[in-house]
């Protein structure tokens, strides 16, 4: 039975597009939609193990069925027997111009009005999404539902985020302002400012705040990054292969939030290019850093997450195995210290061949391991995260003097046997308080999950979190409100936030 939506619109007010969901015990989601856009194509992210491809789906207005086709745009990885939908496209011409309340229903029982999930997108729809001649309107139950679907946080966990996202918004207004960046000497095509995945940080800001300006700006920056990738996945603003310019998470979010297959195509090319990075380390190989290892692992994990490509899974395991060897069976009979040990010279290009590790680059590597662990529960990834916290505590910190309030500071790099090579800077090293704090929080989470004593590592975590909150204290004390805060270099925005989206949740989970 069809309905006359035009007559319904006479009785419904128009608002800015939004959607509120409530989930009932019988697998029904109530959707309140008020929009001034085309609602004929809806994108619904879904937490894991909620809707399988065997489910039967239906949409109703009151008790009247809406004719719709349901496409699975992405599936959850690592399903042993059942494939679960991660993002669902609801395609219905009947919803063009619609506003009102819909009911979305799923069950394992086929009814007269239900339809099964179509696993392959219609070709015309796929082309329209990639060419942006048609866009999907994002709908979801709540920010907690969205965070569980995309950031893998528990849906029932409510946690304070102002201390994290309000300063981030100040910085985000700067790094998305072309004129402000240009005044500071950063034109759009200056390659270094794109390091550490600025689009990822902005997508995560949207997921934390639900402010759609950040989704729009993240999409714009992800498009810019895509436009500067060649067919081989090489970032063209850099004239040579450099793994750290492979920034896959922003493209993964672009696909999960927009079903834009151009992002997936770019990610595929990036994965193939990333294989040029040799994950194994020996004293004879030369250059190696945790940052490049992190980039290679992140590409493989994000690509596998969206495609379940077996080659990517093999690559993930190769990178983790190589990191495990460096950490628990290091070269040159170096003592086990809890980090992927490599020579200082291989990291910095100067100095000697004694062991070194970089705490802040370990935070980048730790975040890639953490994402894979949260998807799979991988024991080797969790063992590395566990050990990394011990290393930071035992080897990776120093203390400033009274000019910086005697704070504990993460080292930029640790030279285990020749500390004179370390360049301690109590003014710039605290810039990594947030990312190293996030690494410590992940380590504490693993330790507590395994029933291990985490007291001292947790206290260090607490200390660095307090430093990370310094920007929030500044925000509250600021008398003249500024639209944006300058952050130099601009890539600092991404290293502060791309690997730390779990930090507010970890603070609530571990410290409150």
């Amino acid at each position: 039975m069809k309905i006359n939506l035009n007559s319904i619109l006479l009785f419904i007010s128009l608002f800015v597009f939004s959607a509120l969901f409530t989930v009932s015990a019988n697998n029904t989601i109530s959707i309140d939609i008020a929009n001034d856009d085309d609602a004929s194509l809806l994108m619904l992210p879904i937490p894991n193990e909620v809707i399988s491809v065997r489910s039967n789906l239906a949409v109703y207005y009151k008790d009247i069925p809406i004719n719709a086709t349901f496409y699975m745009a992405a599936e959850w990885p690592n399903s042993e027997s059942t494939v679960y939908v991660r993002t669902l496209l609801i395609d219905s011409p009947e919803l063009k111009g619609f506003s009102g309340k819909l009911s979305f229903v799923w069950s394992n029982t086929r009814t007269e009005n239900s339809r099964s999930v179509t696993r392959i997108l219609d070709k015309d729809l796929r082309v329209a999404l990639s060419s942006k001649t048609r866009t999907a309107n994002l709908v979801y139950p709540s920010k907690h539902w969205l965070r569980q679907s995309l950031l893998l946080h528990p849906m029932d966990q409510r946690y304070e985020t102002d201390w994290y996202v309000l300063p981030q918004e100040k910085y985000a207004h700067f790094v998305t302002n072309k004129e402000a960046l240009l005044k500071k000497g950063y034109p759009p095509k200056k390659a270094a400012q794109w390091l550490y995945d600025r689009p990822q940080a902005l997508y995560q800001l949207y997921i934390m705040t639900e402010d759609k300006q950040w989704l729009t700006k993240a999409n714009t920056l992800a498009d810019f990054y895509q436009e500067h990738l060649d067919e081989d996945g090489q970032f063209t603003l850099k004239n040579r292969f450099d793994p750290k310019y492979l920034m896959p998470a922003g493209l993964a979010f672009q696909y999960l939030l927009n079903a834009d297959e151009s992002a997936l195509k770019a990610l595929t090319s990036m994965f193939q290019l990333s294989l040029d990075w040799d994950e194994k380390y020996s004293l004879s190989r030369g250059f190696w850093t945790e940052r490049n290892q992190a980039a290679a692992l992140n590409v493989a994990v994000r690509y596998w997450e969206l495609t379940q490509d077996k080659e990517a899974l093999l690559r993930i395991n190769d990178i983790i195995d190589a990191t495990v060897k460096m950490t628990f069976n290091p070269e040159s009979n170096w003592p086990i210290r809890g980090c992927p040990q490599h020579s200082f010279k291989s990291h910095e290009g100067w100095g000697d061949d004694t062991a070194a590790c970089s705490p802040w680059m370990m935070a980048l590597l730790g975040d890639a391991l953490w994402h894979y662990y949260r998807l799979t529960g991988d024991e080797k990834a969790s063992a590395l995260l566990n050990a990394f916290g011990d290393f930071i505590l035992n080897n990776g910190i120093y203390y400033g003097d009274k000019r910086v309030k005697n704070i504990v500071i993460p080292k930029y790099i640790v030279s285990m046997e020749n500390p004179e090579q370390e360049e301690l800077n109590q003014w710039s090293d605290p810039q990594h308080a947030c990312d190293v704090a996030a690494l410590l929080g992940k380590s504490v989470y693993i330790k507590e999950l395994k029933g291990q004593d985490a007291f001292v590592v947790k206290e260090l975590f607490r200390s660095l979190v307090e430093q990370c909150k310094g920007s929030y204290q500044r925000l509250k004390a600021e008398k003249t409100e500024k639209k944006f805060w300058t952050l130099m270099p601009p890539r600092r925005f991404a290293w502060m936030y791309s690997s730390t989206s779990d930090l507010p949740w970890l603070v609530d989970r571990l410290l409150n």
Side-chain angles (χ1 to χ4, degrees):
M1 177 180 179
K2 292 188 177 181
I3 58 176
N4 187 339
L5 293 178
N6 289 330
S7 62
I8 295 170
L9 290 174
L10 295 175
F11 304 96
I12 302 174
S13 300
L14 292 177
F15 301 92
V16 177
F17 182 85
S18 64
L20 299 175
F21 298 62
T22 56
V23 182
S24 66
N26 61 352
N27 297 334
T28 299
I29 295 176
S30 178
I31 311 173
D32 291 325
I33 298 178
N35 71 296
D36 55 8
D37 295 317
D38 180 9
S40 64
L41 185 63
L42 303 176
M43 167 71 87
L44 173 64
I46 301 169
N48 201 3
E49 299 185 356
V50 172
I51 297 177
S52 80
V53 293
R54 294 197 293 264
S55 298
N56 292 288
L57 314 176
V59 174
Y60 296 86
Y61 172 72
K62 297 183 178 179
D63 294 326
I64 304 171
I66 302 294
N67 185 36
T69 304
F70 305 96
Y71 295 103
M72 181 174 68
E75 68 182 71
W76 283 95
N78 206 44
S79 299
E80 295 183 0
S81 58
T82 303
V83 175
Y84 287 97
V85 180
R86 190 170 189 185
T87 53
L88 186 73
L89 284 170
I90 304 171
D91 187 12
S92 174
E94 292 183 6
L95 292 177
K96 188 175 182 64
F98 174 80
S99 63
K101 179 174 288 189
L102 299 174
S103 295
F104 173 71
V105 182
W106 70 95
S107 70
N108 293 324
T109 304
R110 187 67 184 264
T111 67
E112 179 183 356
N113 299 312
S114 67
R115 301 182 68 169
S116 58
V117 178
T118 301
R119 301 184 67 170
I120 306 298
L121 263 66
D122 175 82
K123 181 180 178 181
D124 291 340
L125 178 58
R126 188 167 62 247
V127 171
L129 287 166
S130 294
S131 64
K132 296 180 175 57
T133 57
R134 194 176 182 200
T135 58
N137 284 320
L138 183 66
V139 292
Y140 52 88
S142 68
K143 61 186 176 184
H144 307 292
W145 174 289
L146 187 67
R147 290 170 187 174
Q148 185 181 32
S149 302
L150 297 174
L151 300 180
L152 314 183
H153 298 178
M155 188 165 60
D156 60 352
Q157 189 82 14
R158 298 180 182 275
Y159 49 93
E160 178 59 46
T161 62
D162 280 0
W163 67 267
Y164 180 85
V165 300
L166 294 183
Q168 186 182 3
E169 287 184 305
K170 289 286 191 181
Y171 297 131
H173 280 296
F174 170 65
V175 299
T176 58
N177 186 321
K178 290 183 181 179
E179 291 75 18
L181 287 168
L182 191 59
K183 287 179 181 179
K184 293 294 182 180
Y186 286 89
K189 293 188 177 182
K190 190 166 186 174
Q193 68 176 301
W194 295 100
L195 286 169
Y196 316 115
D197 210 331
R198 188 185 299 172
Q200 175 191 1
L202 289 171
Y203 279 120
Q204 291 171 174
L205 179 58
Y206 164 69
I207 295 165
M208 299 287 278
T209 64
E210 301 178 281
D211 185 339
K212 287 197 172 181
Q213 71 168 311
W214 303 124
L215 177 60
T216 300
K217 291 182 177 183
N219 284 332
T220 298
L221 294 184
D223 286 342
F224 179 90
Y225 181 68
Q226 270 200 64
E227 289 164 4
H228 292 86
L229 291 174
D230 65 20
E231 292 183 354
D232 296 324
Q234 170 71 37
F235 189 52
T236 57
L237 300 186
K238 191 74 175 175
N239 58 11
R240 61 179 177 81
F241 173 65
D242 188 338
K244 63 180 178 289
Y245 282 94
L246 297 173
M247 293 170 279
L251 295 183
F253 281 127
Q254 186 178 34
Y255 181 73
L256 289 170
L257 290 165
N258 302 281
D260 182 349
E261 289 198 0
S262 66
L264 187 56
K265 181 180 178 181
L267 190 54
T268 302
S269 298
M270 289 168 60
F271 171 69
Q272 292 299 325
L273 182 62
S274 75
L275 299 177
D276 289 350
W277 169 255
D278 183 1
E279 75 281 0
K280 298 181 180 66
Y281 175 77
S282 67
L283 279 177
S284 61
R285 71 159 282 168
F287 179 73
W288 192 96
T289 69
E290 299 94 340
R291 176 169 57 185
N292 283 14
Q293 191 84 329
L297 179 58
N298 204 15
V299 171
V301 170
R302 298 290 180 165
Y303 174 65
W304 170 78
E305 179 182 3
L306 297 183
T307 66
Q308 291 77 61
D309 188 312
K310 293 181 179 178
E311 183 185 6
L313 187 58
L314 289 172
R315 173 66 165 171
I316 291 167
N317 285 313
D318 286 346
I319 294 172
I320 292 178
D321 287 344
T323 308
V324 165
K325 183 179 184 300
M326 294 175 70
T327 303
F328 299 112
N329 187 23
E331 289 282 303
S332 300
N333 295 316
W334 289 327
I336 296 175
R337 296 176 171 105
C339 71
Q341 294 183 75
H342 49 292
S343 76
F344 189 94
K345 187 174 183 179
S346 70
H347 191 109
E348 292 291 286
W350 61 274
D352 61 27
D353 284 328
T354 58
C357 284
S358 170
W360 81 274
M361 291 191 187
M362 287 172 63
L364 302 175
L365 179 56
D367 193 58
L369 291 165
W370 173 255
H371 191 70
Y372 184 62
Y373 167 74
R374 296 288 288 166
L375 287 169
T376 66
D378 185 77
E379 285 295 327
K380 290 180 289 187
S382 70
L384 288 167
L385 289 165
N386 192 335
F388 287 1
D390 293 329
F391 171 77
I392 301 298
L393 173 67
N394 296 322
N395 302 94
I397 57 174
Y398 68 103
Y399 294 88
D401 59 30
K402 62 183 179 181
R403 292 175 296 170
V404 292
K405 301 181 181 179
N406 301 308
I407 58 173
V408 60
I409 301 172
K411 292 184 178 181
Y412 186 93
I413 190 169
V414 180
S415 179
M416 257 73 80
E417 296 162 36
N418 186 3
E420 291 183 359
Q421 295 180 121
E422 298 174 356
E423 298 179 344
L424 306 181
N425 187 324
Q426 65 178 6
W427 305 111
S428 62
D429 290 344
Q431 293 177 356
H432 293 289
C434 294
D435 39 294
V436 177
L439 174 59
L440 288 166
K442 293 160 188 169
S443 183
V444 172
Y445 179 91
I446 297 293
K447 289 178 184 298
E448 291 194 345
L449 198 65
K450 294 180 177 296
Q452 299 174 359
D453 181 11
F455 177 78
V456 182
V457 179
K458 182 186 283 190
E459 289 307 302
L460 180 57
F461 171 55
R462 188 190 307 274
S463 178
L464 289 182
V465 165
E466 288 306 310
Q467 290 182 49
C468 186
K469 289 182 176 181
S471 294
Y472 183 55
Q473 302 305 321
R474 170 190 167 193
L475 182 68
K476 292 195 296 184
E478 192 175 73
K479 295 180 180 179
T480 303
E481 184 174 341
K482 300 177 181 177
K483 182 173 177 59
F484 64 77
W485 287 350
T486 300
L487 193 67
M488 300 297 290
R491 64 181 179 273
R492 183 181 166 191
F493 172 80
W495 88 51
M496 283 177 64
Y497 294 109
S498 63
S499 65
T500 61
S501 66
D502 296 275
L503 192 50
W505 173 67
L506 287 168
V507 167
D508 181 79
R509 169 71 170 73
L510 301 173
L511 300 181
N512 295 335

